[in-house]
Amino acid sequence: MTTDPLIAAAIEARLRAFTPYSHFNVGAALETEDGTIVPGCNVESASYGLTMCAERVAVFTGVTRGFHCFKRVAIVADTTTLTPPCGACRQILWEFAPDAEVVLANLSGKVERFTMRELLPRGFDAKQLAEPGPGI
Ligand code: THU
């Protein structure tokens, strides 16, 4: 169906989504600078607010494996209008993949590409924390 191994990895990760409450399955995959692919799926909790999105699972898995910078992100859900990353995921992706291409795809082969900068203009990150102010 897809020739892009990153999309294929997100499709495969989606199969492991744990979604007994929403039944909305999402798969994500990150590509590191050395070509390693790191997958993630959404994991829901009976305490609903503790649910973790596929994208953040992928980022945190990548960090656990020692990767801090990702150059591409694929996100797959079974929706006609492609599913974009939620606001919380945009923030986390911004911090670890500011220059990344974000590839949205569904199971029918529809694909759209964005940049992280398009999805999160004027993102907040460590630069602000490091900037000295005049003090109070
Ligand atoms: N979800 C993701 O995994 N990624 C997103 O960017 C949007 C939402 C998940 C969270 C929850 O398990 C389900 O989709 C419904 O919100």
Side-chain angles (χ1 to χ4, degrees), residues 18-19 22 24-27 41-44 51-55 75 83-86 89:
F18 182 77
T19 59
S22 76
F24 188 81
N25 298 342
V26 183
C41 63
N42 52 331
V43 180
E44 298 188 343
T51 288
M52 188 60 66
C53 293
E55 298 90 322
I75 302 166
T83 296
C86 78
C89 290

Side-chain angles (χ1 to χ4, degrees), residues 9-77:
I11 290 171
E12 189 191 338
R14 181 185 165 278
L15 297 174
R16 294 188 289 273
F18 182 77
T19 59
Y21 311 107
S22 76
H23 306 289
F24 188 81
N25 298 342
V26 183
L30 307 174
E31 187 178 327
T32 68
E33 297 193 309
D34 72 4
T36 301
I37 290 179
V38 181
C41 63
N42 52 331
V43 180
E44 298 188 343
S45 167
S47 180
Y48 299 160
L50 302 184
T51 288
M52 188 60 66
C53 293
E55 298 90 322
R56 276 176 288 159
V57 169
V59 170
F60 299 154
T61 300
V63 171
T64 303
R65 292 183 184 171
F67 299 109
H68 290 180
C69 189
F70 306 101
K71 64 179 188 184
R72 286 204 306 148
V73 181
I75 302 166
V76 171

